[in-house]
Amino acid sequence: MTDYTIRTPQQFGPVLRGYRRDRGLTQRDAGARVGLAQNAVSQIEAAPGHVSLVRLFKLLAALDLELVVRARRAPACPSEW
């Protein structure tokens, strides 16, 4: 699988959605793996900046993903923040 650099909350949702779909899971299937309702998964994919870290990490676990934090490389363009 490809690694994705995510620098804003808005970039997180589409990446999570893509991984979920690549695994052939519906939002309901992914949520059921970790005790999240389908609407919670939908909310994370649509507006990840407005969800708790607990819910985000539950979805990462359901998709067998991990979050890696590292120092930024020299930016090619100005920061979006």
Coordinates of all heavy atoms in Angstrom, one line a residue:
M1 N 0.8 -1.2 0.0 CA 0.0 0.0 0.0 C 0.9 1.3 0.0 O 2.0 1.3 0.5 CB -0.9 0.0 1.2 CG -2.1 -0.8 1.1 SD -3.4 0.3 0.5 CE -4.6 -0.8 0.0
T2 N 0.3 2.3 -0.5 CA 1.0 3.6 -0.6 C 0.9 4.3 0.8 O -0.1 4.3 1.5 CB 0.3 4.4 -1.7 OG1 0.4 3.7 -2.9 CG2 1.1 5.7 -1.9
D3 N 2.0 5.0 1.1 CA 2.0 6.0 2.2 C 1.5 7.3 1.8 O 1.7 7.7 0.6 CB 3.4 6.2 2.8 CG 3.9 4.9 3.5 OD1 3.1 4.0 3.8 OD2 5.1 4.8 3.7
Y4 N 0.7 8.0 2.6 CA 0.2 9.3 2.3 C 0.6 10.3 3.4 O 0.5 10.0 4.5 CB -1.4 9.3 2.2 CG -1.9 8.5 1.1 CD1 -2.2 7.2 1.2 CD2 -2.0 9.0 -0.2 CE1 -2.7 6.4 0.2 CE2 -2.5 8.3 -1.3 CZ -2.8 7.0 -1.1 OH -3.3 6.2 -2.1
T5 N 1.1 11.4 2.9 CA 1.4 12.5 3.9 C 0.2 13.4 4.0 O -0.4 13.9 3.1 CB 2.6 13.4 3.3 OG1 3.7 12.5 3.1 CG2 2.9 14.5 4.3
I6 N -0.3 13.5 5.3 CA -1.5 14.2 5.6 C -1.1 15.4 6.5 O -0.5 15.2 7.5 CB -2.5 13.3 6.3 CG1 -2.9 12.2 5.3 CG2 -3.7 14.2 6.7 CD1 -3.8 11.2 5.9
R7 N -1.4 16.6 6.0 CA -1.0 17.8 6.8 C -2.2 18.6 7.3 O -2.0 19.5 8.0 CB -0.1 18.7 5.9 CG 1.2 18.0 5.7 CD 2.3 19.0 5.2 NE 3.6 18.4 5.1 CZ 4.1 17.8 4.0 NH1 3.5 17.9 2.9 NH2 5.3 17.3 4.1
T8 N -3.4 18.3 6.8 CA -4.6 19.0 7.2 C -5.7 18.0 7.5 O -5.7 16.9 7.0 CB -5.1 20.0 6.2 OG1 -5.6 19.2 5.0 CG2 -4.0 21.0 5.7
P9 N -6.6 18.3 8.4 CA -7.8 17.4 8.7 C -8.6 17.0 7.4 O -9.0 15.9 7.3 CB -8.6 18.2 9.7 CG -7.7 19.1 10.3 CD -6.7 19.5 9.3
Q10 N -8.7 18.0 6.5 CA -9.5 17.7 5.3 C -8.9 16.6 4.4 O -9.6 16.0 3.6 CB -9.6 19.0 4.5 CG -10.4 20.1 5.2 CD -9.6 20.9 6.2 OE1 -8.3 20.8 6.2 NE2 -10.2 21.6 7.1
Q11 N -7.6 16.4 4.5 CA -6.9 15.4 3.7 C -7.1 14.0 4.3 O -7.0 13.0 3.6 CB -5.4 15.7 3.6 CG -5.1 16.9 2.9 CD -3.6 17.3 3.0 OE1 -3.0 17.1 4.0 NE2 -3.1 17.9 1.9
F12 N -7.5 13.9 5.6 CA -7.6 12.6 6.2 C -8.8 11.8 5.7 O -8.7 10.6 5.5 CB -7.7 12.8 7.7 CG -6.9 11.9 8.6 CD1 -6.2 12.3 9.6 CD2 -6.9 10.5 8.3 CE1 -5.4 11.5 10.4 CE2 -6.2 9.6 9.1 CZ -5.4 10.1 10.1
G13 N -9.9 12.4 5.6 CA -11.2 11.7 5.2 C -11.1 10.9 4.0 O -11.4 9.7 3.9
P14 N -10.7 11.5 2.9 CA -10.6 10.8 1.6 C -9.6 9.6 1.6 O -9.8 8.6 1.0 CB -10.1 11.8 0.6 CG -10.6 13.1 1.2 CD -10.5 13.0 2.7
V15 N -8.5 9.8 2.4 CA -7.5 8.7 2.5 C -8.1 7.5 3.3 O -8.0 6.3 2.8 CB -6.2 9.2 3.2 CG1 -5.3 8.0 3.5 CG2 -5.5 10.2 2.3
L16 N -8.8 7.8 4.4 CA -9.5 6.7 5.1 C -10.5 6.0 4.3 O -10.6 4.8 4.3 CB -10.1 7.3 6.4 CG -9.1 7.8 7.5 CD1 -9.8 8.5 8.6 CD2 -8.2 6.6 8.0
R17 N -11.3 6.8 3.6 CA -12.4 6.3 2.7 C -11.7 5.3 1.7 O -12.2 4.2 1.4 CB -13.1 7.4 2.0 CG -14.3 6.9 1.2 CD -15.1 8.0 0.6 NE -15.5 9.0 1.5 CZ -15.0 10.3 1.6 NH1 -14.1 10.7 0.8 NH2 -15.5 11.1 2.6
G18 N -10.6 5.8 1.1 CA -10.0 5.0 0.0 C -9.5 3.6 0.6 O -9.6 2.6 0.0
Y19 N -8.8 3.7 1.8 CA -8.4 2.4 2.4 C -9.5 1.5 2.7 O -9.5 0.3 2.5 CB -7.6 2.7 3.7 CG -6.1 3.0 3.4 CD1 -5.6 4.2 3.6 CD2 -5.2 1.9 3.1 CE1 -4.2 4.5 3.3 CE2 -3.9 2.2 2.9 CZ -3.4 3.4 3.0 OH -2.1 3.7 2.8
R20 N -10.6 2.1 3.2 CA -11.8 1.3 3.6 C -12.3 0.6 2.3 O -12.6 -0.6 2.3 CB -12.9 2.1 4.2 CG -14.2 1.4 4.5 CD -15.2 2.2 5.1 NE -15.6 3.4 4.4 CZ -16.4 3.4 3.3 NH1 -16.8 2.2 2.8 NH2 -16.7 4.5 2.7
R21 N -12.5 1.3 1.2 CA -13.0 0.8 0.0 C -12.1 -0.3 -0.6 O -12.5 -1.3 -1.1 CB -13.3 1.9 -1.0 CG -14.5 2.7 -0.6 CD -14.7 3.8 -1.6 NE -15.9 4.6 -1.2 CZ -16.3 5.7 -1.8 NH1 -15.5 6.3 -2.7 NH2 -17.4 6.4 -1.4
D22 N -10.7 0.0 -0.5 CA -9.8 -1.0 -1.0 C -9.9 -2.3 -0.3 O -9.6 -3.4 -0.8 CB -8.3 -0.5 -0.9 CG -8.0 0.6 -1.9 OD1 -8.7 0.8 -2.9 OD2 -6.9 1.2 -1.7
R23 N -10.3 -2.3 1.0 CA -10.5 -3.5 1.8 C -11.9 -4.1 1.6 O -12.2 -5.1 2.2 CB -10.2 -3.2 3.2 CG -8.7 -3.0 3.5 CD -8.5 -2.3 4.9 NE -7.1 -2.4 5.2 CZ -6.1 -1.6 4.7 NH1 -6.4 -0.8 3.7 NH2 -4.9 -1.7 5.2
G24 N -12.7 -3.5 0.7 CA -14.0 -4.0 0.4 C -15.0 -3.9 1.6 O -15.9 -4.7 1.7
L25 N -14.8 -2.9 2.5 CA -15.6 -2.7 3.6 C -16.6 -1.6 3.4 O -16.3 -0.6 2.9 CB -14.8 -2.4 4.9 CG -13.8 -3.5 5.3 CD1 -12.9 -2.9 6.4 CD2 -14.5 -4.7 5.8
T26 N -17.8 -1.8 3.9 CA -18.8 -0.7 4.0 C -18.5 0.1 5.2 O -17.7 -0.4 6.1 CB -20.2 -1.2 4.0 OG1 -20.4 -1.9 5.3 CG2 -20.6 -2.1 2.8
Q27 N -19.1 1.2 5.4 CA -18.9 2.0 6.6 C -19.4 1.2 7.8 O -18.8 1.2 8.9 CB -19.6 3.3 6.5 CG -19.0 4.3 5.6 CD -19.7 5.6 5.4 OE1 -20.9 5.7 5.8 NE2 -19.1 6.6 5.0
R28 N -20.5 0.5 7.6 CA -21.1 -0.3 8.7 C -20.1 -1.5 9.0 O -19.9 -1.7 10.2 CB -22.4 -0.9 8.2 CG -23.2 -1.7 9.3 CD -24.5 -2.2 8.8 NE -25.4 -1.1 8.3 CZ -26.1 -0.3 9.0 NH1 -26.1 -0.3 10.3 NH2 -26.8 0.6 8.4
D29 N -19.5 -2.1 8.0 CA -18.6 -3.2 8.3 C -17.4 -2.7 9.1 O -17.0 -3.4 10.1 CB -18.1 -3.8 7.0 CG -19.1 -4.5 6.2 OD1 -20.2 -4.9 6.7 OD2 -18.9 -4.6 4.9
A30 N -16.8 -1.6 8.7 CA -15.6 -1.1 9.4 C -16.0 -0.7 10.8 O -15.2 -1.0 11.7 CB -15.1 0.1 8.6
G31 N -17.1 0.0 11.0 CA -17.5 0.4 12.3 C -17.8 -0.8 13.2 O -17.4 -0.8 14.4
A32 N -18.4 -1.9 12.7 CA -18.7 -3.0 13.5 C -17.5 -3.7 14.0 O -17.5 -4.3 15.1 CB -19.5 -4.0 12.6
R33 N -16.4 -3.6 13.3 CA -15.1 -4.2 13.8 C -14.6 -3.7 15.1 O -13.9 -4.3 15.9 CB -14.0 -4.1 12.8 CG -14.2 -4.9 11.5 CD -13.1 -4.7 10.6 NE -13.1 -5.6 9.5 CZ -12.1 -6.0 8.7 NH1 -11.0 -5.4 8.9 NH2 -12.2 -6.9 7.8
V34 N -15.0 -2.4 15.4 CA -14.4 -1.7 16.6 C -15.5 -1.0 17.4 O -15.2 -0.2 18.3 CB -13.3 -0.7 16.2 CG1 -12.1 -1.4 15.7 CG2 -13.9 0.3 15.2
G35 N -16.8 -1.3 17.2 CA -17.8 -0.8 18.0 C -18.2 0.6 17.6 O -18.7 1.4 18.5
L36 N -18.1 1.0 16.4 CA -18.6 2.3 15.9 C -19.8 2.2 15.1 O -19.9 1.2 14.3 CB -17.5 3.1 15.1 CG -16.2 3.6 15.8 CD1 -15.2 4.1 14.8 CD2 -16.6 4.6 16.8
A37 N -20.7 3.1 15.2 CA -21.9 3.0 14.3 C -21.5 3.5 12.9 O -20.5 4.2 12.7 CB -23.0 4.0 14.9
Q38 N -22.3 3.1 11.9 CA -22.0 3.6 10.6 C -22.0 5.1 10.5 O -21.1 5.6 9.8 CB -23.1 3.0 9.6 CG -23.0 3.4 8.2 CD -23.7 4.8 7.9 OE1 -24.7 5.1 8.5 NE2 -23.1 5.5 7.0
N39 N -22.8 5.8 11.2 CA -22.8 7.2 11.0 C -21.6 7.8 11.6 O -21.1 8.9 11.2 CB -24.1 7.9 11.6 CG -24.2 7.6 13.1 OD1 -23.7 6.7 13.7 ND2 -25.0 8.5 13.8
A40 N -21.0 7.2 12.6 CA -19.7 7.7 13.2 C -18.6 7.5 12.1 O -17.7 8.4 12.0 CB -19.3 6.9 14.4
V41 N -18.6 6.4 11.4 CA -17.6 6.2 10.3 C -17.8 7.3 9.3 O -16.8 7.9 8.8 CB -17.6 4.8 9.8 CG1 -16.6 4.7 8.6 CG2 -17.3 3.8 10.9
S42 N -19.0 7.5 8.9 CA -19.3 8.5 7.9 C -18.8 9.9 8.3 O -18.3 10.7 7.6 CB -20.9 8.6 7.7 OG -21.2 9.6 6.8
Q43 N -19.1 10.2 9.6 CA -18.6 11.5 10.1 C -17.1 11.7 10.1 O -16.6 12.7 9.7 CB -19.1 11.7 11.6 CG -18.7 13.1 12.2 CD -19.1 13.2 13.6 OE1 -19.5 12.2 14.3 NE2 -19.1 14.4 14.1
I44 N -16.4 10.6 10.4 CA -14.9 10.6 10.4 C -14.5 10.9 9.0 O -13.5 11.7 8.7 CB -14.3 9.3 11.0 CG1 -14.7 9.2 12.5 CG2 -12.8 9.3 10.7 CD1 -14.4 7.9 13.1
E45 N -15.1 10.2 8.0 CA -14.6 10.3 6.6 C -15.0 11.7 6.1 O -14.3 12.3 5.2 CB -15.3 9.3 5.7 CG -14.7 7.9 6.0 CD -15.3 6.8 5.2 OE1 -16.3 7.1 4.4 OE2 -14.9 5.6 5.3
A46 N -16.1 12.3 6.5 CA -16.6 13.5 6.0 C -15.9 14.8 6.6 O -15.6 15.8 6.0 CB -18.1 13.7 6.1
A47 N -15.7 14.7 7.9 CA -15.2 15.8 8.7 C -14.3 15.3 9.8 O -14.6 15.4 11.0 CB -16.3 16.7 9.2
P48 N -13.1 14.8 9.4 CA -12.2 14.2 10.5 C -11.7 15.2 11.5 O -11.3 14.9 12.6 CB -11.1 13.6 9.7 CG -11.1 14.3 8.4 CD -12.5 14.7 8.1
G49 N -11.8 16.5 11.2 CA -11.3 17.5 12.1 C -12.3 17.7 13.3 O -11.9 18.4 14.2
H50 N -13.4 17.1 13.2 CA -14.5 17.3 14.2 C -14.8 16.1 15.0 O -15.8 16.0 15.6 CB -15.7 17.9 13.6 CG -15.6 19.2 12.9 ND1 -15.4 20.4 13.6 CD2 -15.4 19.5 11.6 CE1 -15.2 21.4 12.7 NE2 -15.2 20.9 11.5
V51 N -13.9 15.1 14.9 CA -14.1 13.8 15.7 C -13.1 13.7 16.8 O -12.0 14.3 16.7 CB -14.1 12.6 14.8 CG1 -15.2 12.7 13.7 CG2 -12.8 12.4 14.1
S52 N -13.4 12.9 17.7 CA -12.4 12.6 18.8 C -11.3 11.7 18.3 O -11.4 10.9 17.4 CB -13.1 12.0 20.0 OG -13.4 10.6 19.7
L53 N -10.1 11.9 19.0 CA -9.0 11.0 18.6 C -9.3 9.5 18.9 O -8.9 8.6 18.2 CB -7.8 11.4 19.4 CG -7.1 12.7 18.9 CD1 -5.9 13.0 19.8 CD2 -6.5 12.4 17.4
V54 N -10.1 9.3 19.9 CA -10.5 7.9 20.3 C -11.2 7.3 19.1 O -10.9 6.2 18.7 CB -11.4 7.9 21.5 CG1 -12.0 6.5 21.7 CG2 -10.6 8.3 22.7
R55 N -12.2 8.0 18.5 CA -13.0 7.5 17.4 C -12.0 7.3 16.2 O -12.1 6.3 15.4 CB -14.1 8.4 17.0 CG -15.3 8.2 17.9 CD -16.5 8.9 17.5 NE -17.6 8.6 18.3 CZ -18.9 8.9 18.0 NH1 -19.1 9.5 16.9 NH2 -19.8 8.5 18.8
L56 N -11.2 8.3 15.9 CA -10.3 8.2 14.8 C -9.4 7.0 14.9 O -9.2 6.2 14.0 CB -9.4 9.5 14.7 CG -8.4 9.5 13.6 CD1 -9.1 9.4 12.2 CD2 -7.6 10.8 13.7
F57 N -8.8 6.7 16.1 CA -8.0 5.6 16.3 C -8.7 4.3 16.2 O -8.2 3.2 15.8 CB -7.2 5.7 17.6 CG -5.9 6.5 17.5 CD1 -5.9 7.9 17.6 CD2 -4.7 5.9 17.1 CE1 -4.8 8.6 17.5 CE2 -3.6 6.6 16.9 CZ -3.6 8.0 17.1
K58 N -10.0 4.3 16.6 CA -10.8 3.1 16.4 C -10.9 2.7 14.9 O -10.8 1.6 14.5 CB -12.2 3.2 17.1 CG -12.2 3.1 18.6 CD -13.6 3.1 19.1 CE -13.6 2.9 20.6 NZ -15.0 2.8 21.1
L59 N -11.2 3.7 14.1 CA -11.3 3.5 12.7 C -10.0 3.1 12.1 O -9.9 2.2 11.3 CB -11.9 4.7 12.0 CG -12.1 4.5 10.5 CD1 -13.0 3.3 10.2 CD2 -12.7 5.8 9.8
L60 N -8.9 3.7 12.5 CA -7.6 3.2 12.1 C -7.4 1.8 12.4 O -6.9 1.0 11.5 CB -6.5 4.1 12.7 CG -6.4 5.5 12.2 CD1 -5.4 6.3 13.0 CD2 -6.0 5.6 10.7
A61 N -7.8 1.3 13.6 CA -7.6 -0.1 14.0 C -8.5 -1.0 13.1 O -8.1 -2.0 12.7 CB -8.0 -0.2 15.4
A62 N -9.7 -0.5 12.8 CA -10.6 -1.3 12.0 C -10.1 -1.5 10.6 O -10.3 -2.6 10.0 CB -12.0 -0.7 11.9
L63 N -9.3 -0.6 10.1 CA -8.7 -0.6 8.8 C -7.3 -1.2 8.8 O -6.7 -1.2 7.7 CB -8.8 0.8 8.1 CG -10.2 1.4 8.0 CD1 -10.0 2.8 7.4 CD2 -11.0 0.5 7.1
D64 N -6.8 -1.6 9.9 CA -5.5 -2.1 10.1 C -4.4 -1.1 9.6 O -3.5 -1.4 8.9 CB -5.3 -3.5 9.4 CG -4.1 -4.2 9.8 OD1 -3.7 -4.1 11.0 OD2 -3.5 -5.0 9.0
L65 N -4.6 0.1 10.1 CA -3.7 1.2 9.7 C -3.1 1.8 11.0 O -3.6 1.5 12.1 CB -4.5 2.4 9.1 CG -5.2 2.1 7.7 CD1 -6.0 3.3 7.3 CD2 -4.1 1.7 6.7
E66 N -2.0 2.4 10.9 CA -1.3 3.1 12.0 C -1.0 4.5 11.6 O -0.9 4.9 10.5 CB -0.1 2.3 12.4 CG 1.0 2.3 11.3 CD 2.2 1.5 11.7 OE1 2.2 0.9 12.8 OE2 3.1 1.4 10.9
L67 N -0.9 5.3 12.6 CA -0.5 6.7 12.5 C 0.9 6.9 12.8 O 1.3 6.5 13.9 CB -1.4 7.6 13.4 CG -1.2 9.1 13.3 CD1 -1.6 9.6 11.9 CD2 -2.0 9.8 14.4
V68 N 1.7 7.5 12.0 CA 3.1 7.7 12.2 C 3.4 9.2 12.3 O 3.0 10.0 11.4 CB 4.0 7.1 11.1 CG1 5.5 7.4 11.3 CG2 3.8 5.6 11.0
V69 N 4.0 9.7 13.3 CA 4.4 11.1 13.5 C 5.9 11.2 13.3 O 6.6 10.5 13.9 CB 3.9 11.6 14.8 CG1 4.3 13.1 15.0 CG2 2.4 11.5 15.0
R70 N 6.3 12.2 12.4 CA 7.7 12.4 12.2 C 7.9 13.8 11.9 O 7.0 14.6 11.5 CB 8.2 11.5 11.1 CG 7.6 11.9 9.7 CD 8.3 11.1 8.6 NE 7.7 11.6 7.3 CZ 7.0 10.8 6.5 NH1 6.8 9.6 6.8 NH2 6.5 11.3 5.4
A71 N 9.2 14.3 12.0 CA 9.5 15.6 11.6 C 9.3 15.8 10.1 O 9.5 14.9 9.3 CB 11.0 15.9 12.0
R72 N 8.8 17.0 9.8 CA 8.6 17.3 8.4 C 9.9 17.4 7.6 O 10.9 17.9 8.2 CB 7.9 18.7 8.2 CG 6.4 18.6 8.6 CD 5.8 19.9 8.2 NE 4.4 19.9 8.7 CZ 3.5 20.8 8.3 NH1 3.9 21.8 7.5 NH2 2.3 20.8 8.7
R73 N 9.8 17.1 6.4 CA 10.9 17.3 5.5 C 10.8 18.8 5.0 O 9.8 19.4 5.2 CB 10.9 16.4 4.3 CG 11.1 15.0 4.7 CD 11.0 14.1 3.4 NE 11.2 12.7 3.8 CZ 10.2 11.8 3.9 NH1 9.0 12.2 3.7 NH2 10.5 10.6 4.2
A74 N 11.9 19.3 4.4 CA 11.8 20.7 4.0 C 10.6 20.8 3.0 O 10.5 20.1 2.0 CB 13.1 21.1 3.3
P75 N 9.7 21.8 3.3 CA 8.5 21.9 2.4 C 8.8 22.4 1.0 O 9.7 23.3 0.9 CB 7.6 22.8 3.2 CG 8.6 23.6 4.0 CD 9.7 22.7 4.4
A76 N 8.1 21.9 0.0 CA 8.3 22.3 -1.3 C 7.5 23.6 -1.5 O 7.8 24.4 -2.4 CB 7.8 21.3 -2.3
C77 N 6.5 23.8 -0.7 CA 5.6 25.0 -0.8 C 5.3 25.4 0.6 O 5.4 24.7 1.6 CB 4.4 24.7 -1.7 SG 3.3 23.4 -1.0
P78 N 4.8 26.6 0.8 CA 4.4 27.1 2.1 C 3.4 26.2 2.8 O 2.5 25.6 2.1 CB 3.8 28.5 1.9 CG 4.3 28.9 0.5 CD 4.5 27.6 -0.3
S79 N 3.4 26.2 4.1 CA 2.5 25.4 4.9 C 1.1 25.8 4.7 O 0.8 27.0 4.5 CB 2.9 25.5 6.3 OG 1.9 24.8 7.1
E80 N 0.1 24.9 4.7 CA -1.3 25.2 4.6 C -1.8 25.7 6.0 O -2.9 26.1 6.1 CB -2.1 24.0 4.2 CG -1.7 23.5 2.8 CD -2.5 22.3 2.3 OE1 -3.7 22.2 2.7 OE2 -2.0 21.5 1.6
W81 N -1.0 25.6 7.0 CA -1.4 26.1 8.4 C -0.8 27.4 8.6 O -0.3 28.1 9.1 CB -1.1 25.1 9.4 CG -1.9 23.9 9.4 CD1 -1.7 22.7 8.7 CD2 -3.2 23.7 10.0 NE1 -2.7 21.9 8.9 CE2 -3.7 22.5 9.6 CE3 -4.0 24.6 10.7 CZ2 -4.9 22.0 10.0 CZ3 -5.3 24.1 11.1 CH2 -5.7 22.8 10.8

